[in-house]
């Protein structure tokens, strides 16, 4: 399976090395068939998990439910609108001020906080996501074959991760990751072809229009970044180094956007609230954030006043000025009592005041209206735990993951709630799930084996744990089999 497996990995590798130039299409290897013809869906998923393990070890990936939920909501709205997409996509935010985004194996798409802050409109942010989604959906493969032809999925995931780190962070980070391969493979430069970039633009612009976003945002945002690059001497944004832009490409994208016409759809409030949240987090100290928002509010230098007051409330809360934060939040919550960001912040302030029971009561109605909301459900569970009701908190989170199994950080909170509730079996079960989803397969298996040995284990729960254990053990066997040479 060696050559086929490598071909599939290359088709899923979607980033470019820093300073790279376009490769001529005639110089590219022809791998032919789509990824799912050379690798099963289970193998693709395994690759994605291994890739994300390296991303989590090397990058500051946000675990904030509000920030992550927003980017996932926007990303999946674009996926649903696209004519080309299929399969699984997962969107996440990297806490990095540099302007960049990247796509990795199995539809994992990362967006730097700096890019969200650089986007003046939601359509500009959507344009970058739509472009990355198109690279995934079209299986653009521009990766040179590694020196060794038989590699395990973990080894190839490390190779891909090294390329991503070298392209989106710095060359030293990529080189450091490559050390883990211990000479088994040699990384070669990755390039996007001009045709690939134009195809991603074309499909992305179509997706923007179908999603109700402004199709002119894609050429507009790239043009704005190139103009900023000419003004400042600090070098091109990473997004331009990994996705080189030419005047011809901008002109071509403008021509494609003209076929759809402009869209005047206003930005969502969540877009502005997420940017305010990220601005607040960008300051090392709370007093710096407070000074920033006081200044922008006093001078009227903001795009959305509601979001600016929200950012100010977050800064005050971080500084421990809970009453002042509540005073900023109160009119926002009165005007929009169902806005998830306001509801969650109110619950956090109530908990800080030692009134977790009130926070839980207030959140109960909200989670009933939106049972699939990760931010609301997590806030409710945290309030229940602070109120001395870990069993109810665990039940709440179990209902959430039944609908949204992709919310990886929640599994650790579930394990904590189970421990506080005195449920050691559930603690092991959910700790195993967290370990598995963060790339630690063998420790996850050990946790499930321990859970099955617990005394007085109910048959129904034991059956669920055994099924999950069988799945993980099968994946472990597949992973080991991939490393065997072909006969």
């Amino acid at each position: 399976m060696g050559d086929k497996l490598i071909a599939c990995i290359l088709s899923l590798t979607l980033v470019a090395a820093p300073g790279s130039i376009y490769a001529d299409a005639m110089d590219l290897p022809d791998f032919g068939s789509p990824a799912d013809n050379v690798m099963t869906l289970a193998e693709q998923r395994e690759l994605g998990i291994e890739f994300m393990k390296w991303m989590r070890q090397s990058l500051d990936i946000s675990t904030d439910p509000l920030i992550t939920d927003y980017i996932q909501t926007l990303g999946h709205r674009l996926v649903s609108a696209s004519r080309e997409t299929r399969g699984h996509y997962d969107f996440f935010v990297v806490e990095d001020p540099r302007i960049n985004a990247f796509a990795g194996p199995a539809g994992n798409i990362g967006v730097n906080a700096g890019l969200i802050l650089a986007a003046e409109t939601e359509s500009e942010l959507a344009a970058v996501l739509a472009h990355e989604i198109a690279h995934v959906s079209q299986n653009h493969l521009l990766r040179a074959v590694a020196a060794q032809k038989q590699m395990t999925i973990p080894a190839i995931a490390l190779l891909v991760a090294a390329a991503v780190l070298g392209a989106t962070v710095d060359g030293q980070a990529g080189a450091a990751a490559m050390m883990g391969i211990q000479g088994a493979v040699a990384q070669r430069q990755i390039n996007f072809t001009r045709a690939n970039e134009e195809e991603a633009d074309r499909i992305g612009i179509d997706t923007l229009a179908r999603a109700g976003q402004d199709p002119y945002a894609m050429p507009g945002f790239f043009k704005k970044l190139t103009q900023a690059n000419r003004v400042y001497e600090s070098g091109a944004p990473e997004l331009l180094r990994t996705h080189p832009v030419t005047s011809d490409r901008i002109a071509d994208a403008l021509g494609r956007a003209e076929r759809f016409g402009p869209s005047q759809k206003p930005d969502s409030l969540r877009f502005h609230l997420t940017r305010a949240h990220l601005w607040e987090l960008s300051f090392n100290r709370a007093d710096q954030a407070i000074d920033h928002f006081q200044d922008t509010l006093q001078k009227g230098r903001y795009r959305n006043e509601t979001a600016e007051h929200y950012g100010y409330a977050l800064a005050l809360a971080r500084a421990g000025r809970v009453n002042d934060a509540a005073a900023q939040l109160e009119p926002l919550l009165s005007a929009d009592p169902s806005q998830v960001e306001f509801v969650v912040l109110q619950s956090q302030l109530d908990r800080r005041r030692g009134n977790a029971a009130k926070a839980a009561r207030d959140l109960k109605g909200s989670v009933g209206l939106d049972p699939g909301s990760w931010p609301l459900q997590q806030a409710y569970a945290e309030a229940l735990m602070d109120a001395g009701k870990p069993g109810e908190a665990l039940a709440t989170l179990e209902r959430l993951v039944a609908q949204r199994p992709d919310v990886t950080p929640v599994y650790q909170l579930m394990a904590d709630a189970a421990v506080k509730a005195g449920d050691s079996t559930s603690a092991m079960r959910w700790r195993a799930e967290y370990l598995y989803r963060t790339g630690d397969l063998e420790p996850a298996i050990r946790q499930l084996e321990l859970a099955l040995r617990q005394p007085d284990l109910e048959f129904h729960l034991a059956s669920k744990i055994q099924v999950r254990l069988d799945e993980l053990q099968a994946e472990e066997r597949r992973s080991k089999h991939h490393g065997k040479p072909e006969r």
Side-chain angles (χ1 to χ4, degrees):
M1 169 175 185
D3 290 341
K4 287 185 177 181
L5 187 57
I6 292 174
C8 175
I9 305 308
L10 300 178
S11 73
L12 292 170
T13 305
L14 305 170
V15 296
S20 65
I21 60 174
Y22 288 113
D24 291 331
M26 66 182 67
D27 293 332
L28 296 175
D30 182 13
F31 293 108
S33 54
D36 54 357
N37 288 342
V38 293
M39 181 182 282
T40 67
L41 291 176
E43 289 167 342
Q44 293 181 50
R45 187 175 183 279
E46 182 184 350
L47 173 65
I49 290 172
E50 287 291 332
F51 170 80
M52 287 305 300
K53 177 179 72 174
W54 289 105
M55 293 299 97
R56 290 188 178 93
Q57 289 180 5
S58 306
L59 303 176
D60 292 326
I61 295 178
S62 175
T63 58
D64 188 289
L66 290 165
I67 293 172
T68 307
D69 184 71
Y70 167 71
I71 204 67
Q72 288 183 351
T73 300
L74 178 60
H76 287 122
R77 189 180 302 139
L78 293 165
V79 168
S80 297
S82 174
R83 304 174 196 266
E84 306 284 341
T85 55
R86 59 191 175 87
H88 175 77
Y89 285 78
D90 188 33
F91 302 86
F92 56 93
V93 174
V94 180
E95 296 176 355
D96 189 317
R98 287 171 288 194
I99 301 171
N100 206 6
F102 60 90
N108 290 295
I109 295 178
V111 183
N112 279 13
L115 187 143
I116 300 174
L117 294 176
E120 295 185 8
T121 67
E122 191 167 39
S123 287
E124 290 183 348
L125 173 58
V128 176
L129 290 178
H131 182 94
E132 298 296 341
I133 290 168
H135 276 311
V136 174
S137 69
Q138 299 310 297
N139 288 321
H140 289 151
L141 42 104
L142 295 168
R143 197 132 162 93
V145 176
Q148 295 257 338
K149 303 226 174 181
Q150 270 95 23
M151 293 190 297
T152 63
I153 283 182
I156 301 177
L158 176 56
L159 178 66
V160 176
V164 170
L165 295 173
T168 64
V169 183
D170 57 59
Q172 290 184 344
M178 286 295 294
M179 291 293 290
I181 302 179
Q182 297 179 338
V185 292
Q187 179 187 10
R188 298 185 185 179
Q189 189 175 19
I190 302 169
N191 294 313
F192 280 127
T193 65
R194 184 177 290 106
N196 285 156
E197 289 290 10
E198 290 175 354
E199 184 176 39
D201 289 345
R202 174 181 60 79
I203 294 172
I205 288 170
D206 179 76
T207 298
L208 286 175
R210 290 171 59 85
Q213 301 289 350
D214 185 4
Y216 284 93
M218 185 174 294
F221 189 49
F222 283 121
K223 183 178 180 180
K224 182 169 65 177
L225 291 180
T226 57
Q227 290 172 339
N229 179 43
R230 297 189 191 105
V231 174
Y232 300 105
E233 298 180 356
S234 58
E238 280 74 5
L239 190 68
L240 296 187
R241 288 200 283 267
T242 58
H243 299 73
V245 176
T246 64
S247 58
D248 287 344
R249 181 179 163 197
I250 292 175
D252 182 69
L254 281 170
R256 295 186 184 280
E258 288 175 358
R259 300 176 187 177
F260 298 97
S263 172
Q264 301 300 320
K265 180 180 179 180
D267 300 328
S268 71
L269 178 58
R270 289 202 74 187
F271 168 71
H272 293 292
L273 294 176
T274 300
R275 292 181 79 251
H277 195 165
L278 290 171
W279 271 121
E280 196 279 326
L281 291 174
S282 71
F283 294 96
N284 292 326
R285 302 197 316 268
D287 61 305
Q288 294 172 323
I290 289 172
D291 290 343
H292 166 79
F293 286 107
Q294 282 180 334
D295 182 64
T296 56
L297 285 167
Q298 181 180 0
K299 296 178 180 177
R301 292 173 43 238
Y302 46 74
R303 295 185 64 85
N304 184 283
E305 184 175 4
T306 297
E308 213 68 13
H309 281 286
Y310 172 67
Y312 187 26
L314 290 173
L316 290 167
R318 190 183 1 157
R321 295 168 56 179
V322 176
N323 291 334
D324 290 338
Q328 283 291 319
L329 180 63
E330 193 278 329
L332 306 182
L333 196 57
S334 296
D336 195 350
S338 63
Q339 185 63 43
V340 61
E341 284 81 2
F342 305 158
V343 174
V344 168
L345 179 55
Q346 181 64 57
S347 72
Q348 292 170 345
L349 295 177
D350 284 337
R351 289 166 54 209
R352 294 272 291 274
R353 289 166 165 162
N355 203 344
K358 176 182 179 300
R361 287 196 305 270
D362 291 346
L363 281 166
K364 187 174 183 179
S366 298
V367 300
L369 293 173
D370 193 359
S373 170
W374 171 16
L376 287 176
Q377 294 282 10
Q378 179 165 327
Y380 183 44
E382 290 170 342
L384 287 170
M385 289 176 67
D386 284 357
K389 299 178 179 180
E392 292 184 33
L394 178 58
T396 296
L397 296 175
E398 286 177 340
R399 288 192 293 271
L400 172 62
V401 299
Q403 297 183 66
R404 294 190 56 178
D406 59 314
V407 286
T408 296
V410 168
Y411 291 101
Q412 183 61 56
L413 183 61
M414 293 171 72
D416 294 341
V419 169
K420 291 183 179 180
D423 187 348
S424 58
T425 302
S426 292
M428 295 172 188
R429 178 190 182 193
W430 298 123
R431 188 176 298 115
E433 201 65 40
Y434 177 77
L435 289 167
Y436 168 72
R437 291 172 183 276
T438 53
D440 290 328
L441 179 58
E442 290 186 13
I445 290 173
R446 302 291 88 78
Q447 284 290 313
L448 292 177
E449 290 173 340
L450 287 172
L452 284 174
R453 297 193 191 111
Q454 297 303 299
D456 302 323
L457 184 58
E458 294 181 1
F459 175 79
H460 182 65
L461 179 57
S463 298
K464 287 185 176 180
I465 295 174
Q466 185 64 60
V467 168
R468 190 59 173 145
L469 177 60
D470 291 343
E471 292 173 347
L472 268 57
Q473 287 175 332
E475 186 166 313
E476 183 182 41
R477 289 192 296 272
R478 287 195 303 271
S479 177
K480 292 178 180 178
H481 173 72
H482 292 156
K484 294 180 181 179
E486 295 183 348
R487 294 185 180 276

